[in-house]
Amino acid sequence: MMLGKRMTLTGRTARAILAGCVLLMAVGCTSVYRNHGYAPTDDQLAEVLVGVDTRGTVADIIGPPTAGGVENGGGFFYVQSRFRLYGPLEPKEIDREVVAIRFDGEGVVANVERFGLENGNVVALSRRVTEDNIADTTFIRQLFGSIGRFNAGDFLGDG
């Protein structure tokens, strides 16, 4: 029995214990990343046609949204976040993407926008908006542009 002897550590055992402690500390302080949510890729968004697709076809192409608009018939919102967990510290959001698909009154896609989070500010990364049929035309330009385009027969009933 070894009741009377003191236990001493040899150099090899001490180094093994020290290496084990260093390894545990290193593993405890490595970054772990977690992804939350879903945002469609640019390839998937390219399949969504502005002015053509509807709510149903968007849900079929991309999938159901993460969130819907708060108003009746609002847009679709897809939100994806990436968090970094570092040891005992609180998780930190390092990346966020929001894809917003808005619809017009008939439920047809009006625009597709992708937003990011940079330095705590929301930044528009890409935007596809339905073009209006009036290009850089003011009310006065429209009014004076129609002068001379009248047919007298339309007013006299001869047309």
Side-chain angles (χ1 to χ4, degrees), residues 102-114:
R102 301 188 196 273
F103 301 93
D104 62 12
E106 286 92 43
V108 177
V109 175
N111 64 9
V112 178
E113 298 173 294
R114 182 184 298 271

Side-chain angles (χ1 to χ4, degrees), residues 9-18:
L9 296 177
T10 63
R12 178 182 250 174
T13 307
R15 282 189 295 248
I17 291 173
L18 181 63

Side-chain angles (χ1 to χ4, degrees), residues 6-86:
R6 294 181 81 154
M7 193 169 140
T8 60
L9 296 177
T10 63
R12 178 182 250 174
T13 307
R15 282 189 295 248
I17 291 173
L18 181 63
C21 289
V22 168
L23 181 64
L24 284 174
M25 289 174 52
V27 169
C29 292
T30 57
S31 294
V32 177
Y33 296 94
R34 280 195 330 218
N35 295 315
H36 293 274
Y38 163 74
T41 64
D42 288 333
D43 293 336
Q44 290 173 316
L45 289 177
E47 295 180 32
V48 175
L49 302 175
V50 175
V52 176
D53 283 313
T54 63
R55 292 176 192 281
T57 59
V58 169
D60 290 340
I61 293 170
I62 297 176
T66 304
V70 293
E71 57 198 49
N72 188 18
F76 284 179
F77 299 97
Y78 299 86
V79 182
Q80 180 178 8
S81 297
R82 183 173 173 98
F83 291 88
R84 185 182 83 185
L85 291 86
Y86 186 73

Side-chain angles (χ1 to χ4, degrees), residues 88-117:
L89 301 177
E90 182 177 337
K92 181 180 179 186
E93 185 175 24
I94 59 172
D95 187 32
R96 180 188 306 164
E97 279 193 18
V98 177
V99 174
I101 301 177
R102 301 188 196 273
F103 301 93
D104 62 12
E106 286 92 43
V108 177
V109 175
N111 64 9
V112 178
E113 298 173 294
R114 182 184 298 271
F115 299 99
L117 182 66

